[in-house]
C-alpha cells in the first residue's frame, strides 16, 4: 500500500514508525519541509517542499499514493485534504471546514455554545476593531485572552501568568487591531490531552496524556510547543477518575456529531481535545485537528492495531469494525531543545546521538546534511521511555537524554514522582477530597 505522510517533525516520525510497522506491505513516501533523518530512513521516497502548497498533491499523484496522512495543522488550514480528496486520494486529516475547530477559536466557542457541547467556559467573541472588551474583562475578572487564529501556541495569554487586568485590556486591544478575539474565563485545574481516531461517526480513543507547556522545571518560564509528556499504564492519568474520562469522551463524541451538523462535512482524521479537569468537572481549553506533538510520541508506540487498518477505517467510515488497541504501558517523553528556546534559540548546531539505552528516539526539528544532524530554532529531538510504571518510564527517558550531545536543554521533572504527586494533590485540593481515599 502506497502511503504519503505530510509533515516532518517528531509527531510525524512517530506516525511514520507506526506506518512502517504495518503488516500490509507499506510503501511510505513523505512530503516535508526539511530532511528529517528519522522519517527519511523509513521512506521509499520523499520530497522536500512546502507542506501547504498544491505541490503536495502533485507529488501524491506522481507516485500513485493510495492514502495520505497529514501530521501538522498548517496543511489542514491550507485545504490540502480537500485538494487530495478532489484528486481521488483518500486522506486521514479533516477537510478545511471541519478543521476550523482548531484554527478559528471564535468559530469553535460559538459552535460549542450553539450545539450545547458540555465544557464550554464563559466567553465572548469580539470582532476585529470592535470595542467593548474592557467592560467584559472587568465583568469576568480572571480572564484568558485568545487571538482567534493560529498563533503556534504563543498568542494565548492568561491572567496571573502573563498580565494583570490592565495588561489584559491592553493586550485585548492589541489583538483586535489584527484579528478577532476571544475573551474567556480563566479555568483552574489540571490539563490533559484526549486524542481519538475519527471516521466521521465513530471514535477510537488513545490513552490520556499530560503535556508540559512551560520551558523550565517546576512549570516556570515561557510557554512552548510542549517540553514533554507522560501517560500511565491504562487510559486515565493518576489525578483522574474513570468518570472524568467518560465525560471527556462524551464531549468528543458530541463534537464530532455537531461538526457534521454545522458544516455538512464528516470529521475524518484525528481529533485532539485539550481538556482541563476543574472542581466543576471537565472543560475544553481547545481542540486540535491532528495528533499532539509531543503526545503522538506517547501513544503511537503503544498502538497494537495495524496503523493502516486504522487509516482504512477512518477514510471509509468503518472504524467501528477495527479493533483499536493500545498496550497498557506507561510512557514518558522528554524533548531536548536548543539552548535559548523558545525566545532566542541557538539553532544550526550539530547534535550527536550516543547511547540512549532502550529509550525510543524521535527526530523533530532537525535536518541532516553531509551525514550530520543539525538543530533549527525549535524542539530538536525527543526520547520516550516505555515501562510498566511512569517512574520506570521516566528513568528510561532520562537515560535517553543522557545520550544526546549538543547545545540542548530539557525538563528533567516531567514524569517524576514529585511532579506527578503534585498534580494529584492539586486535584485533591480542588475537588476537596482524595480519589485514593474518599474519606479524606
Ligand atoms: P491554547 O492555545 O488555547 O491551547 O492555550 C494555550 C494554553 O493557555 C493552554 O494550554 C492553557 O494552559 C492556557 N489556557 C487557554 N485557555 C484557558 C482557560 N480558559 N483557562 C485557563 N487556561 C487557559
Ligand atoms: N502539545 C500541544 C500541541 O500539539 O498542540
Amino acid at each position: 500500500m502506497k502511503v504519503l505522510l505530510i509533515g516532518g517533525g517528531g509527531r510525524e516520525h512517530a506516525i511514520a514508525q507506526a506506518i512502517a510497522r504495518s503488516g500490509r506491505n507499506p510503501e511510505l513516501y513523505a512530503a516535508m519541509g526539511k530532511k528529517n533523518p528519522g522519517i527519511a530512513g523509513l521512506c521509499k521516497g520523499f520530497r522536500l517542499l512546502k507542506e501547504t502548497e498544491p505541490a503536495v498533491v502533485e507529488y501524491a499523484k506522481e507516485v500513485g499514493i493510495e492514502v495520505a496522512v497529514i501530521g501538522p495543522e498548517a496543511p489542514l488550514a491550507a485545504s490540502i485534504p480537500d485538494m487530495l480528496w478532489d484528486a481521488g486520494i483518500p486522506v486521514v486529516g479533516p477537510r478545511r471546514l471541519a478543521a476550523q475547530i482548531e484554527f478559528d477559536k471564535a468559530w469553535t466557542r460559538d459552535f460549542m455554545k450553539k450545539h450545547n457541547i458540555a465544557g464550554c467556559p464563559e466567553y465572548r467573541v469580539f470582532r476585529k476593531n470592535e470595542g467593548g472588551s474592557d467592560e467584559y474583562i472587568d465583568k469576568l475578572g480572571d480572564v484568558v485572552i485568545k487571538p482567534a487564529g493560529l498563533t503556534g501556541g504563543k498568542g494565548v495569554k492568561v491572567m496571573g501568568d502573563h498580565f494583570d487586568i490592565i495588561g489584559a485590556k491592553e493586550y485585548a486591544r492589541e489583538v483586535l487591531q489584527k484579528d478577532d478575539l476571544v475573551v474567556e474565563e480563566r479555568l483552574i485545574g489540571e490539563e490533559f490531552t484526549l486524542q481519538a481516531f475519527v471516521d466521521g461517526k465513530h471514535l477510537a480513543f488513545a490513552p490520556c496524556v499530560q503535556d508540559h507547556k512551560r520551558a523550565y522545571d517546576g512549570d516556570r518560564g515561557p510557554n512552548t510547543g510542549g517540553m514533554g509528556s507522560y501517560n500511565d499504564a491504562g487510559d486515565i492519568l493518576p489525578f483522574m477518575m474513570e468518570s472524568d474520562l467518560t465525560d471527556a469522551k462524551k464531549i468528543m463524541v458530541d463534537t464530532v456529531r455537531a461538526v457534521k451538523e454545522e458544516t455538512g462535512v464528516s470529521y475524518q482524521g484525528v481529533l485532539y481535545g485539550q481538556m482541563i479537569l476543574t472542581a466543576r468537572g471537565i472543560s475544553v481549553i481547545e481542540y486540535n485537528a491532528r495528533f499532539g506533538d509531543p503526545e503522538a510520541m506517547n501513544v503511537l508506540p503503544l498502538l497494537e492495531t495495524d496503523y493502516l487498518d486504522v487509516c482504512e477505517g477512518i477514510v471509509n467510515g468503518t472504524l467501528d469494525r477495527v479493533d483499536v488497541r493500545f498496550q497498557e504501558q506507561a510512557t514518558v517523553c522528554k524533548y531536548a531543545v536548543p539552548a535559548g528556546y523558545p525566545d532566542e534559540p541557538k539553532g544550526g548546531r550539530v547534535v550527536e546521538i550516543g547511547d540512549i539505552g532502550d529509550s525510543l528516539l524521535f527526530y523533530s526539528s532537525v535536518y541532516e546534511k553531509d551525514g550530520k544532524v543539525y538543530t533549527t530554532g525549535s524542539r530538536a529531538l525527543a526520547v520516550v521511555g516505555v515501562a510498566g510504571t511512569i517512574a520506570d518510564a521516566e528513568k528510561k527517558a532520562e537515560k535517553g537524554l543522557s545520550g544526546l550531545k549538543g547545545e540542548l536543554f530539557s525538563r528533567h521533572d516531567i514524569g517524576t514522582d514529585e511532579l506527578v504527586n503534585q498534580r494529584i494533590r492539586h486535584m485533591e485540593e480542588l475537588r476537596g477530597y482524595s480519589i485514593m481515599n474518599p474519606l479524606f
Side-chain angles (χ1 to χ4, degrees), residues 18 29 77 142 163 172 185 215 218 236 238 252 274 346 357 363 374 400 404:
Y29 294 82
D142 219 3
F163 44 45
E185 75 178 294
I236 60 173
M252 301 268 283
Q274 180 71 56
K346 290 194 186 129
Y363 291 85
Y374 293 85
L404 306 182

Side-chain angles (χ1 to χ4, degrees), residues 135-144 159 164-165 168 186:
E135 291 77 4
Y136 190 65
I137 290 170
D138 280 330
K139 180 172 167 247
L140 282 190
D142 219 3
V143 292
V144 178
M159 187 88 104
D164 58 13
I165 202 150
R186 179 180 167 221

Side-chain angles (χ1 to χ4, degrees), residues 93-134:
R95 286 173 180 269
R96 190 175 193 283
L97 274 178
Q100 266 183 103
I101 202 155
E102 167 159 5
F103 58 77
D104 188 344
K105 291 182 198 291
W107 181 87
T108 301
R109 285 304 187 212
D110 286 343
F111 155 85
M112 288 184 78
K113 189 166 171 185
K114 177 173 168 194
H115 292 272
N116 279 319
I117 294 169
C120 185
E122 274 287 311
Y123 79 97
R124 228 188 101 181
V125 171
F126 295 89
R127 296 296 164 194
K128 194 175 161 188
N129 296 321
E130 191 187 343
S133 58
D134 280 10

Side-chain angles (χ1 to χ4, degrees), residues 177-421:
Q177 287 173 12
K178 291 179 288 202
D179 198 354
D180 293 345
L181 168 75
V182 181
V183 177
E184 64 187 39
E185 75 178 294
R186 179 180 167 221
L187 301 161
I188 312 279
E190 281 297 325
E191 288 181 54
F192 68 92
T193 302
L194 181 58
Q195 304 169 105
F197 296 111
V198 186
D199 71 353
K201 287 195 286 292
H202 313 100
L203 289 83
F205 292 96
C208 294
V209 180
Q210 189 173 45
D211 187 16
H212 296 70
K213 289 223 158 64
R214 299 303 195 92
Y216 314 134
D217 279 24
D219 289 325
R220 289 176 298 109
N223 270 336
T224 69
M227 292 296 291
S229 47
Y230 68 94
N231 70 283
D232 206 350
D235 290 337
I236 60 173
L237 290 158
F239 55 83
M240 292 171 66
M241 299 194 289
E242 281 295 341
S243 60
D244 300 323
L245 178 58
T246 308
D247 294 346
K249 283 183 175 175
K250 175 158 192 315
I251 289 174
M252 301 268 283
V253 169
D254 289 347
T255 300
V256 167
R257 192 186 310 122
V259 164
K260 173 79 193 202
E261 276 170 33
E262 184 65 28
T263 66
V265 167
S266 281
Y267 193 105
Q268 287 170 290
V270 173
L271 180 63
Y272 168 123
Q274 180 71 56
M275 305 291 175
I276 185 166
L277 181 52
T278 73
R280 295 183 317 219
I282 303 281
S283 288
V284 180
I285 295 273
E286 67 163 355
Y287 298 98
N288 291 323
R290 49 166 176 87
F291 270 120
D293 187 339
E295 293 97 324
M297 294 182 282
N298 297 97
V299 301
L300 286 176
L302 302 181
L303 182 67
E304 285 177 335
T305 313
D306 192 306
Y307 197 74
L308 293 183
D309 289 346
V310 177
C311 292
E312 193 173 69
I314 291 172
V315 300
N316 292 339
T318 53
L319 196 54
D320 57 325
R321 290 189 226 149
V322 184
D323 183 18
V324 180
R325 280 174 191 273
F326 293 85
Q327 285 170 48
E328 295 213 350
Q329 294 271 295
T331 72
V332 173
C333 173
K334 300 198 190 204
Y335 252 119
V337 304
Y341 173 81
D343 296 331
E344 286 168 29
K346 290 194 186 129
R349 309 292 207 274
V350 174
V351 288
E352 280 168 27
I353 298 153
D355 177 12
I356 59 163
D358 63 354
S359 68
L360 311 175
L361 176 70
F362 295 97
Y363 291 85
S364 189
S365 287
V366 289
Y367 59 93
E368 190 187 311
K369 209 176 121 196
D370 304 329
K372 286 190 173 150
V373 178
Y374 293 85
T375 57
T376 67
S378 200
R379 297 174 294 174
L381 297 162
V383 290
V384 176
V386 182
T389 63
I390 296 171
D392 287 346
E394 197 273 336
K395 287 188 194 86
K396 290 189 181 183
E398 279 296 321
K399 169 69 190 165
L401 284 183
S402 71
L404 306 182
K405 303 283 180 258
E407 288 179 56
L408 302 164
F409 78 95
S410 300
R411 269 188 70 167
H412 294 288
D413 60 346
I414 295 168
T416 58
D417 283 348
E418 195 187 343
L419 197 58
V420 174
N421 284 327

